[in-house]
Amino acid sequence: AQSVTQPDIHITVSEGASLELRCNYSYGATPYLFWYVQSPGQGLQLLLKYFSGDTLVQGIKGFEAEFKRSQSSFNLRKPSVHWSDAAEYFCAVLYILRTGTYKYIFGTGTRLKVLA
Amino acid sequence: KAGVTQTPRYLIKTRGQQVTLSCSPISGHRSVSWYQQTPGQGLQFLFEYFSETQRNKGNFPGRFSGRQFSNSRSEMNVSTLELGDSALYLCASSSDSFLLYEQYFGPGTRLTVT
């Protein structure tokens, strides 16, 4: 069955440090991949998405993600974290089914805390 | 341009009742999707409507239903509420398929079932 795993429930980094949030998925073909951010009391905001092409994707707020087919991973990175990046981050995977419909699965989220 | 609005923002219902949540998409957007977010199950896709037709559906029981009106506004209904239905319900809109166009999320409706 299709699944999405975000192995880190909580991550704490110091402001200015680099960040990498992990996301692994299970599927035979290349799915559509997304990263979202959710600030407290807010809805989700799309950071970036990958469908095909260049495996390094640039997003908003200085985030990037790299698709690695061999590792079934789509990790999110930021070279220098700002205090305002403290939020919860969700990886999502969309699978197009043979019926033409799709299955849209979210990871359990990683809560990021930023130390001043 | 106004964002996605959801009403009400907070709701308390009793087990066995039914509830209707409303979502007004961004002007010009024809696709509306609904999601349930709970601490235990995380974020789960409920369904997507496009031009008044349900285009896709997640794995939820038939107690969860929705509809979309000609002005693209959407409602979600949950009948025979259960304690486990307590959740944040998020609505998102996009111009068309969110594979091609970004989805914009509303702030959600917090439903508490007692």
Side-chain angles (χ1 to χ4, degrees):
Chain A
Q2 301 96 343
S3 66
V4 181
T5 302
Q6 290 182 249
D8 304 305
I9 298 173
H10 297 278
I11 281 187
T12 300
V13 299
S14 297
E15 190 169 19
S18 64
L19 172 70
E20 181 168 29
L21 303 182
R22 296 182 290 165
C23 174
N24 293 91
Y25 66 92
S26 66
Y27 190 57
T30 300
Y32 297 88
L33 300 159
F34 305 78
W35 272 102
Y36 290 92
V37 61
Q38 185 178 33
S39 298
Q42 302 294 317
L44 275 70
Q45 182 180 24
L46 178 69
L47 287 174
L48 46 78
K49 60 187 178 185
Y50 173 79
F51 293 165
S52 63
D54 192 349
T55 56
L56 186 62
V57 182
Q58 301 297 320
I60 63 171
K61 304 186 180 189
F63 285 93
E64 67 177 26
E66 185 171 13
F67 169 61
K68 292 186 177 179
R69 184 191 306 273
S70 61
Q71 298 176 18
S72 295
S73 69
F74 187 57
N75 294 348
L76 182 72
R77 301 193 296 244
K78 187 169 185 178
S80 177
V81 169
H82 187 263
W83 64 266
S84 60
D85 293 324
E88 190 155 21
Y89 293 79
F90 293 92
C91 177
V93 179
L94 187 145
Y95 304 95
I96 305 293
L97 305 176
R98 290 182 185 176
T99 55
T101 57
Y102 58 83
K103 195 169 183 179
Y104 197 22
I105 303 173
F106 287 81
T108 50
T110 297
R111 189 171 296 276
L112 173 66
K113 183 177 178 180
V114 180
L115 301 176
Chain B
K1 193 152 59 165
V4 178
T5 57
Q6 293 186 245
T7 55
R9 292 291 311 277
Y10 302 91
L11 204 51
I12 300 175
K13 288 286 188 179
T14 303
R15 198 169 40 180
Q17 288 185 316
Q18 76 164 16
V19 66
T20 299
L21 312 181
S22 180
C23 172
S24 293
I26 291 172
S27 178
H29 285 191
R30 295 191 296 167
S31 168
V32 174
S33 299
W34 288 89
Y35 302 83
Q36 181 195 64
Q37 186 174 24
T38 61
Q41 299 296 317
L43 262 166
Q44 294 182 280
F45 169 73
L46 277 156
F47 29 65
E48 182 201 3
Y49 284 86
F50 180 81
S51 292
E52 302 179 64
T53 301
Q54 188 180 85
R55 190 153 67 174
N56 206 54
K57 187 177 184 303
N59 191 27
F60 276 81
R63 299 186 298 107
F64 292 81
S65 63
R67 59 178 176 169
Q68 187 180 33
F69 302 94
S70 58
N71 61 358
S72 293
R73 189 177 70 84
S74 176
E75 287 182 347
M76 191 194 88
N77 185 275
V78 187
S79 63
T80 318
L81 283 166
E82 301 176 0
L83 295 179
D85 297 332
S86 294
L88 179 67
Y89 290 89
L90 295 166
C91 160
S93 77
S94 62
S95 300
D96 195 327
S97 167
F98 60 82
L99 295 181
L100 301 173
Y101 301 93
E102 181 174 347
Q103 269 189 317
Y104 294 86
F105 283 78
T109 294
R110 173 76 60 186
L111 171 65
T112 302
V113 181
T114 61

